[in-house]
Amino acid sequence: DAKTTQPNSMESNEEEPVHLPCNHSTISGTDYIHWYRQLPSQGPEYVIHGLTSNVNNRMASLAIAEDRKSSTLILHRATLRDAAVYYCILRPNDMRFGAGTRLTVKP
Amino acid sequence: EAGVVQSPRYKIIEKKQPVAFWCNPISGHNTLYWYRQNLGQGPELLIRYENEEAVDDSQLPKDRFSAERLKGVDSTLKIQPAELGDSAVYLCASSLYGGHLIEQYFGPGTRLTVT
């Protein structure tokens, strides 16, 4: 089994922020937290990654707990195109994807 | 720049038949991955190559699955013979190298249906 735990599904309204949680209580000191998302009928695409500090890029923000046992992917303004399955993965020590969180965005 | 290319996009075969999938990674990417994704689940790593060398094939069912990456560029994944349970999407991905900071780029996948 993957070393991360995510809710199976979440819903959001369009143009509202979305906070996608991930628990990784057994994270090792060398693990980076990566997030990918998979749009329907496509392969996964990279979103963001971080080690200890919060990270921002054009797609999203990543907030990492001080003890690194959890993290949150933040989409600041959800759009319909953000509807996808979001995966939280630990690299390099775990190449597995879990089932992820299916995000539904309502207009 | 072209992304990861996979072919075919769809394949339907009868059980016990052989099937092969082809992947062309992004130019310059040394690391290549094959994943299998069953319906409703996340991708499962089958094999990872660093150039021509398979550095992680622990999850590849070696009795019927084989893979090769000649000249460290294109790769082929083969199943012989296929079983009903092999129906899935087969994804290829590549990255500059296999480090933990490097993002993977995925192809669109090949959807295999075994009847």
Side-chain angles (χ1 to χ4, degrees), chain B residues 2-114:
Chain B
V4 176
V5 179
Q6 290 189 248
S7 69
R9 290 294 314 276
Y10 305 91
K11 188 74 175 179
I12 301 174
I13 61 171
E14 294 183 347
K15 62 181 180 181
K16 300 185 182 180
Q17 295 301 306
V19 65
F21 315 121
W22 175 80
C23 173
N24 178 241
I26 292 174
S27 177
H29 281 195
N30 295 325
T31 306
L32 184 145
Y33 314 77
W34 282 103
Y35 287 84
R36 176 172 60 190
Q37 185 170 26
N38 293 310
L39 190 63
Q41 300 181 21
E44 168 196 4
L45 180 67
L46 293 176
I47 190 168
R48 175 167 66 99
Y49 283 93
E50 297 287 348
N51 297 307
E52 298 101 340
E53 181 182 0
V55 297
D56 183 358
D57 63 355
S58 58
Q59 299 305 310
L60 188 71
K62 298 180 182 61
D63 57 336
R64 297 182 300 106
F65 285 65
S66 64
E68 61 182 8
R69 190 184 184 197
L70 300 176
K71 301 182 181 179
V73 182
D74 294 359
S75 178
T76 302
L77 178 69
K78 298 178 181 178
I79 308 174
Q80 182 171 9
E83 297 179 353
L84 294 176
D86 295 331
S87 294
V89 175
Y90 291 83
L91 293 161
C92 179
S94 70
S95 60
L96 272 176
Y97 58 90
H100 53 262
L101 295 180
I102 299 301
E103 62 190 85
Q104 292 174 296
Y105 293 83
F106 282 80
T110 296
R111 182 176 296 276
L112 173 67
T113 302
V114 182

Side-chain angles (χ1 to χ4, degrees), chain A residues 35-48:
Chain A
W35 283 81
Y36 281 74
R37 73 179 186 180
Q38 188 170 22
L39 302 171
S41 300
Q42 296 186 26
E45 66 173 340
Y46 168 83
V47 177
I48 200 167

Side-chain angles (χ1 to χ4, degrees), chain A residues 41-106:
Chain A
S41 300
Q42 296 186 26
E45 66 173 340
Y46 168 83
V47 177
I48 200 167
H49 75 268
L51 181 63
T52 56
S53 304
N54 295 344
V55 184
N56 300 296
N57 66 19
R58 62 175 180 82
M59 290 182 70
S61 296
L62 177 60
I64 302 172
E66 195 169 339
D67 64 4
R68 300 212 323 128
K69 293 185 176 182
S70 65
S71 61
T72 302
L73 180 71
I74 303 166
L75 307 179
H76 295 285
R77 290 184 64 204
T79 70
L80 297 178
R81 288 173 295 180
D82 291 322
V85 178
Y86 287 78
Y87 299 100
C88 168
I89 310 154
L90 304 180
R91 296 286 167 86
N93 294 310
D94 190 5
M95 295 301 295
R96 294 167 292 186
F97 288 70
T101 297
R102 181 174 298 277
L103 176 65
T104 302
V105 181
K106 297 182 290 184

